Amino acid sequence: MTLAQAWQDICQKTAPLDDLPPSRWKHPWSTHPSGARRLYNTVRWKQPATIVETGTFEGLGTYALAKAAHDNGGNVRIFTIDYDGDPDVSIPLADWKELRVFRDENLEKARQDFPDVQITFVDGDSRIVLPPLLRDHVKSWDLFFQDSMHF
């Protein structure tokens, strides 16, 4: 199977994501169900042992990653990185604090639903925290999902 065929297969498959938490933030930037399905299918196909994700946001993508890792048999580490607020976007700090609540609740739900998957949230700008995280803690990873505006 070519990479193009594999991607087409990933995009067309349905994924059992009925329990994906709904997006609740007032700004519509969260993971769309079709994107969550692609994440789920990618993890099911690649069977990574270590996943690094930038841009936790509401934690919906993280939830899809964790569910797929669990459905693969667990024993997977997920490192997900984000921070509270974005200096390049004029959104009130109170909105970012609201988002933090949704994110923390969704990450906790993923931890409870999939206890065989180790989810580590790293607070910070990925441009700053990613290099030492990879150097000192992760060492190697099987899937890197860059889903942030930390550029």
Side-chain angles (χ1 to χ4, degrees):
M1 175 181 294
T2 68
L3 185 58
Q5 290 168 326
W7 181 247
Q8 184 176 23
D9 189 45
I10 285 168
C11 293
Q12 292 176 349
K13 282 185 179 179
T14 59
L17 291 172
D18 295 336
D19 52 352
L20 183 70
S23 176
R24 299 185 309 179
W25 203 40
K26 61 187 76 172
H27 303 282
W29 299 339
S30 199
T31 301
H32 188 272
S34 64
R37 185 178 69 243
R38 288 182 186 108
L39 287 172
Y40 176 90
N41 290 335
T42 299
V43 171
R44 292 287 287 158
W45 173 55
K46 294 300 290 178
Q47 300 186 2
T50 302
I51 300 169
V52 176
E53 171 193 35
T54 67
T56 312
F57 209 60
E58 280 186 85
L60 304 183
T62 311
Y63 190 91
L65 294 168
K67 179 171 179 49
H70 167 79
D71 290 350
N72 279 347
N75 197 27
V76 174
R77 298 181 314 155
I78 299 174
F79 295 89
T80 183
I81 304 164
D82 216 333
Y83 60 105
D84 299 322
D86 190 332
D88 299 327
V89 179
S90 57
I91 292 178
L93 184 58
D95 287 7
W96 290 112
K97 288 182 178 181
E98 178 185 57
L99 174 64
R100 180 190 321 156
V101 171
F102 300 151
R103 178 191 66 213
D104 292 349
E105 288 174 357
N106 288 334
L107 290 178
E108 186 55 34
K109 178 176 174 33
R111 288 183 185 108
Q112 289 178 4
D113 290 354
F114 315 115
D116 55 351
V117 178
Q118 179 187 338
I119 301 169
T120 302
F121 174 72
V122 180
D123 184 15
D125 184 325
S126 62
R127 295 171 292 188
I128 297 167
V129 301
L130 189 57
L133 175 72
L134 296 178
R135 182 186 64 239
D136 301 336
H137 301 286
V138 178
K139 307 286 188 209
S140 67
W141 59 92
D142 306 298
L143 179 67
F144 183 90
F145 178 48
Q146 195 280 325
D147 188 29
S148 66
M149 293 177 29
H150 308 176
F151 49 80

